[in-house]
Amino acid sequence: MSDTHSTIDRTIDGVAKTIAEVLEKKKYSIDYYQREYKWESKQLAELVADLTTKFLDLYEPGHSRKDVAKYAGYFLGSIIISQKGSQPFIVDGQQRLTSLTLLLTFLRRLQQGRDDEVDVDQLIYSEKFGEKSFNLDVPDRTDCMKELFDSGAYEPRPDASESVHTLAGRYSELDELFPDELRNEVLPFFIDWLKDRVQFVQITAYTDDDAYAIFETMNDRGLKLTPADMLKGYLLANMEDGKPRTTANELWRKRLRTLDDQADDASSDFLKTWLRSQYSKKIRERKKGAKPEDWDRIGTEFHRWLRGAQDGIGLSSKTDFYEFVTRDLDFYSHQYERILRASRGTFHPDSPLRFVRYNSDLGFTLQDQLLLAPLRVEDSKQVIDQKLEIVGRFTDILLAWRIWNFRATAYSTMQYAMFNVMRDIRGLAAAELATVLREALLKIDENFDSNDHLHVHQQNRGQLHKILARITDHITVRSGLPSPYIELTNGTNVRYEVEHIWANHPERHVDEFSHEADFARHRNRIGDLLLLPKQFNASYNDDTYEKKLPHYYGQNLLAASLNPLSYEKNPGFVAFAKSSQLPFKPYKQFKAADVVERGDLYRDIAKQIWNPDDLPAVAKG
């Protein structure tokens, strides 16, 4: 390898290594200028789905643990290490290694207490010179990683680094991403395979100059062509030479660069999303031995897939190839850019794309292919916005219903169903789109009426935070006040948390609950929950309801609606309560029956927010 770049003249090692060989009892540092961990929900979901799907293709009931040694390996690409004396630094690969460390930390906790537990501790942290530290040794992540390792949850401070917020966010998603079929007796088989059959090629240089020369050579000089590069080359080669090819090449570069400026790997994600949304007809069946179909192949090798599918998608002449880039890619990339901006940029509470933000805040990345599916190049701006709002509302309602009924919304759980929806709505006009999606919702058995016992627990606290934010936002905006959604979801300096109305003092409720466990279950019901600033909870957490009640009036309207003053001094709220016919009422005391009644109010509000009949109303304009 030493002759790949003119400045590389020292020893360079390139060796295939398993995850265990890369991580076990090793210590890696990351240079300060590339320390941020930036993987988003979609990237973690795809990694977990790829690993678990590959393993399930190999595993057979009746296999013994030793049979895993014969399973085919799985290649996760290359990582580049700069060895500075005794200390290795990661130059390329920290996103994957960090994500794998999170997955190993999750698997460690998942298998605790089992007789067949696989020891993965030394892949996560190790002891050196009498001190324990994490194998990916980044000081500002230590507290977060320690809490995730010890307790499986971490609440970052508002001023914490981007990496810490991302680490906590991605870890919280793993429980939904990891498939149920691997949580039983198969779990140690999967962990064995992950440790000892999943591999990297580790390239080690012994100076920073050499390490970065390799990195630049592989990424900037054509030695590591991406699937996007290969797709572009194929499309351009089939166009008229001269101005058409030059025009298409410039447009491709401009559009994909613009997307990558929005988010890491956004251009690659766009190409997968666009091609899936417009052209995929089948998805891999959910049974062992089923072959990958076009939806799956677009996700892993879209450049190869398109070569074989060109006739089916109408690429016959040089003009077809030219327009595929200058018309179709241009159109869909602009819409994808709008989706990206709506999902993470400035929030506009009146925008038809506000539902994209709501769904994105729940980590639901499968919405992107749904949003692009009905769009057509000839659609006007008004029609595009109608379609995006209809699909966004549909997804919003679907997620709310699933959360209300304790159903998973993870990528791996939802991808098959969302593929079917995507295929069914492809190219539909706005009115037909609204009809199809409304009918799809009405066929679902589980909605707000199918569960009377919604409660908070460790796994759904983040989701209920968003549900409560939407309920609070709805009554606030309908009462004539500005939207507080961004503030309630911690987009400002104020930290909001899901808080109980009842303090955790079962002895105050012995007249209604003879057992502490019954009190705890009732206290966790949705009707006993509010969103309040963390500082409020710090001040009044242990107070009785009667002592908290005056302070609730100064908080958001959902909390303030407990206080009689809201019905005397807030004409906007009173008018909304009357016009909406919602059963708002103040409570001087808050007893067990009141928790249930308050929960019924929340459900009635939710039915107004998440209403399938809103879809055809949008189509009518």
Side-chain angles (χ1 to χ4, degrees):
M1 273 184 78
S2 61
D3 61 350
T4 59
H5 191 282
S6 60
T7 66
I8 301 174
D9 54 11
R10 301 172 182 86
T11 302
I12 307 293
D13 297 327
V15 181
K17 291 187 176 183
T18 64
I19 287 178
E21 290 170 333
V22 170
L23 290 176
E24 193 165 10
K25 297 182 180 179
K26 303 291 196 305
K27 289 280 187 259
Y28 297 97
S29 292
I30 302 172
D31 279 323
Y32 70 92
Y33 48 81
Q34 58 158 8
R35 274 189 179 167
E36 298 299 347
Y37 174 58
K38 297 183 177 182
W39 261 25
E40 299 180 352
S41 301
K42 180 186 299 186
Q43 292 157 311
L44 182 65
E46 290 185 347
L47 175 67
V48 174
D50 287 347
L51 290 170
T52 55
T53 300
K54 178 63 177 177
F55 171 80
L56 287 168
D57 284 342
L58 300 168
Y59 173 76
E60 292 280 359
H63 279 181
S64 65
R65 293 270 295 277
K66 66 181 180 182
D67 290 326
V68 176
K70 303 173 186 175
Y71 286 6
Y74 189 74
F75 179 56
L76 281 180
S78 61
I79 58 174
I80 301 174
I81 304 298
S82 176
Q83 186 71 40
K84 303 179 184 180
S86 61
Q87 181 63 58
F89 281 72
I90 301 172
V91 173
D92 185 38
Q94 78 122 329
Q95 304 296 321
R96 283 166 292 158
L97 290 174
T98 302
S99 300
L100 286 168
T101 299
L102 288 177
L103 177 59
L104 289 164
T105 304
F106 168 77
L107 294 172
R108 174 187 178 273
R109 293 192 57 77
L110 187 62
Q111 60 174 337
Q112 280 181 340
R114 296 174 57 130
D115 294 335
D116 54 4
E117 183 176 345
V118 182
D119 184 6
V120 296
D121 284 7
Q122 292 189 340
L123 278 66
I124 303 166
Y125 80 95
S126 55
E127 185 173 325
K128 194 171 185 179
F129 303 119
E131 291 189 2
K132 290 181 179 178
S133 58
F134 288 95
N135 294 348
L136 297 187
D137 188 16
V138 184
D140 66 355
R141 302 183 192 176
T142 300
D143 289 346
C144 174
M145 290 303 300
K146 186 176 187 305
E147 283 298 309
L148 295 178
F149 186 86
D150 291 339
S151 66
Y154 183 71
E155 285 288 337
R157 299 187 311 274
D159 61 348
S161 69
E162 175 187 354
S163 290
V164 169
H165 282 281
T166 308
L167 284 167
R170 296 297 82 79
Y171 184 88
S172 70
E173 296 162 1
L174 283 168
D175 190 53
E176 279 204 28
L177 291 175
F178 197 74
D180 290 341
E181 58 263 44
L182 291 182
R183 295 174 185 248
N184 51 28
E185 67 276 3
V186 184
L187 182 59
F189 290 71
F190 173 74
I191 298 174
D192 285 340
W193 179 79
L194 180 67
K195 287 172 63 247
D196 298 316
R197 299 301 295 148
V198 177
Q199 296 180 319
F200 292 102
V201 169
Q202 179 175 311
I203 301 170
T204 304
Y206 294 87
T207 71
D208 278 354
D209 287 346
D210 285 354
Y212 284 97
I214 295 167
F215 178 75
E216 290 174 1
T217 300
M218 292 176 68
N219 288 279
D220 294 340
R221 304 201 176 189
L223 297 184
K224 186 181 177 183
L225 289 175
T226 67
D229 294 328
M230 289 184 273
L231 177 60
K232 181 180 76 168
Y234 171 69
L235 294 172
L236 294 178
N238 283 276
M239 294 178 196
E240 194 74 44
D241 197 6
K243 185 176 181 180
R245 188 176 293 174
T246 301
T247 300
N249 182 47
E250 287 302 313
L251 186 143
W252 177 289
R253 290 174 57 191
K254 179 181 178 181
R255 294 302 311 136
L256 268 60
R257 187 186 303 118
T258 299
L259 293 177
D260 282 333
D261 287 342
Q262 295 290 314
D264 288 346
D265 295 325
S267 61
S268 178
D269 289 341
F270 157 67
L271 291 169
K272 295 175 190 178
T273 303
W274 165 41
L275 295 174
R276 280 172 165 172
S277 73
Q278 300 305 308
Y279 304 111
S280 62
K281 298 177 181 178
K282 291 184 178 180
I283 190 171
R284 181 183 181 273
E285 293 183 59
R286 291 175 292 181
K287 63 181 183 181
K288 183 167 181 60
K291 66 176 183 177
E293 299 289 356
D294 48 11
W295 189 91
D296 311 279
R297 291 189 59 210
I298 291 170
T300 57
E301 50 176 19
F302 53 78
H303 57 298
R304 293 192 186 95
W305 169 83
L306 190 135
R307 285 174 179 261
Q310 67 175 64
D311 292 336
I313 62 178
L315 295 178
S316 301
S317 68
K318 293 182 183 295
T319 300
D320 294 334
F321 280 89
Y322 176 75
E323 292 182 347
F324 190 69
V325 174
T326 59
R327 182 192 62 194
D328 296 2
L329 178 139
D330 186 45
F331 171 78
Y332 288 103
S333 68
H334 275 96
Q335 301 313 316
Y336 190 78
E337 183 182 355
R338 293 183 69 205
I339 292 168
L340 282 180
R341 292 183 184 277
S343 67
R344 69 191 69 203
T346 302
F347 176 70
H348 299 286
D350 298 323
S351 168
L353 274 67
R354 63 191 181 277
F355 301 94
V356 175
R357 176 60 175 266
Y358 299 146
N359 300 329
S360 176
D361 284 351
L362 286 167
F364 193 68
T365 57
L366 285 164
Q367 72 164 330
D368 295 351
Q369 63 184 19
L370 301 183
L371 291 161
L372 290 185
L375 303 186
R376 284 290 165 257
V377 173
E378 59 271 17
D379 287 342
S380 67
K381 174 67 163 55
Q382 179 186 359
V383 169
I384 291 170
D385 284 354
Q386 282 181 313
K387 290 182 177 182
L388 291 175
E389 181 171 355
I390 291 166
V391 175
R393 283 181 180 269
F394 162 81
T395 308
D396 186 35
I397 296 168
L398 178 65
L399 295 178
W401 284 358
R402 290 187 69 87
I403 292 168
W404 199 273
N405 287 277
F406 303 111
R407 297 301 182 194
T409 60
Y411 186 98
S412 57
T413 303
M414 300 285 287
Q415 66 179 16
Y416 194 88
M418 293 302 97
F419 165 78
N420 289 329
V421 173
M422 176 196 74
R423 182 192 56 200
D424 292 345
I425 65 174
R426 186 175 288 149
L428 295 184
E432 187 179 4
L433 175 67
T435 299
V436 168
L437 291 180
R438 179 179 177 275
E439 290 177 354
L441 288 170
L442 296 181
K443 290 177 183 176
I444 297 172
D445 293 330
E446 293 180 318
N447 51 44
F448 295 123
D449 289 323
S450 56
N451 179 26
D452 292 328
H453 301 282
L454 179 61
H455 60 272
V456 66
H457 54 74
Q458 184 176 3
Q459 282 72 43
N460 75 346
R461 182 175 290 269
Q463 293 177 324
L464 288 193
H465 188 130
K466 304 302 189 302
I467 294 289
L468 289 167
R470 294 288 301 285
I471 290 173
T472 308
D473 179 74
H474 178 75
I475 66 175
T476 304
V477 172
R478 292 289 300 275
S479 297
L481 299 172
S483 169
Y485 176 77
I486 294 300
E487 178 180 344
L488 293 170
T489 52
N490 296 327
T492 65
N493 292 329
V494 181
R495 179 77 183 179
Y496 279 81
E497 295 180 337
V498 176
E499 298 295 351
H500 295 82
I501 296 173
W502 283 352
N504 191 17
H505 285 282
E507 70 276 6
R508 297 175 184 170
H509 300 266
V510 292
D511 59 325
E512 296 191 292
F513 301 99
S514 56
H515 298 287
E516 289 188 12
D518 295 334
F519 161 78
R521 278 193 293 271
H522 207 78
R523 179 174 179 262
N524 283 331
R525 291 175 69 117
I526 185 71
D528 193 56
L529 304 178
L530 296 167
L531 282 186
L532 294 167
K534 187 174 183 178
Q535 62 189 31
F536 182 97
N537 186 48
S539 300
Y540 306 110
N541 178 40
D542 276 347
D543 286 352
T544 63
Y545 172 76
E546 290 75 14
K547 287 185 177 180
K548 290 180 179 179
L549 186 57
H551 303 288
Y552 283 149
Y553 181 66
Q555 296 301 315
N556 59 67
L557 267 181
L558 190 62
S561 66
L562 292 163
N563 192 305
L565 289 175
S566 293
Y567 302 82
E568 301 170 13
K569 299 184 177 182
N570 195 328
F573 170 69
V574 172
F576 161 65
K578 182 178 180 180
S579 65
S580 66
Q581 298 184 319
L582 289 165
F584 282 99
K585 60 180 282 190
Y587 295 87
K588 292 183 178 180
Q589 292 183 310
F590 204 65
K591 309 293 282 184
D594 301 323
V595 171
V596 176
E597 185 177 61
R598 183 81 170 173
D600 291 341
L601 169 66
Y602 286 10
R603 177 166 54 189
D604 289 342
I605 299 170
K607 287 180 181 179
Q608 292 192 1
I609 299 170
W610 293 283
N611 184 353
D613 290 339
D614 289 338
L615 274 61
V618 173
K620 292 177 182 177

